């Protein structure tokens, strides 16, 4: 049984680098992982890798809009 069983992890920047590694590690510990990234293709690729390894995942495009305050 994984340390994160029955937990949900939202990993921002999960499409590459440290976020990718974190998403895969959490999935290996049986967390349900939301892979969020501004690069939709990257998020989907990592989510598919997690799914192919038996994990539970959801890819999301993470949008950020900076607001200017006057």
């Amino acid at each position: 049984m994984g340390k994160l069983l029955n937990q949900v992890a939202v990993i921002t920047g999960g499409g590459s680098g440290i976020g990718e590694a974190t998403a895969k590690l959490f999935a290996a510990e049986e967390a349900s992982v939301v892979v969020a990234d501004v690069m939709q293709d990257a998020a989907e690729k990592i989510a598919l890798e997690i799914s192919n390894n038996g994990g539970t995942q959801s890819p999301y495009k993470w949008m950020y809009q900076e607001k200017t305050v006057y």
Side-chain angles (χ1 to χ4, degrees), residues 36-67:
D37 203 292
V38 295
M39 303 298 294
Q40 181 72 30
D41 292 345
E44 289 175 355
K45 176 182 174 275
I46 301 309
L48 183 60
E49 287 180 25
I50 290 170
S51 182
N52 287 341
N53 288 319
T56 305
Q57 51 65 35
S58 297
Y60 284 92
K61 181 174 183 180
W62 190 266
M63 297 293 291
Y64 171 79
Q65 183 175 355
E66 189 172 323
K67 293 183 179 181

Side-chain angles (χ1 to χ4, degrees), residues 7 11-12 16 19 22 24-25 43 50 53-54 56 58 64 70:
Q7 301 296 311
I11 309 297
T12 58
S16 64
T22 303
K24 290 177 178 179
L25 177 63
I50 290 170
N53 288 319
T56 305
S58 297
Y64 171 79
Y70 293 98

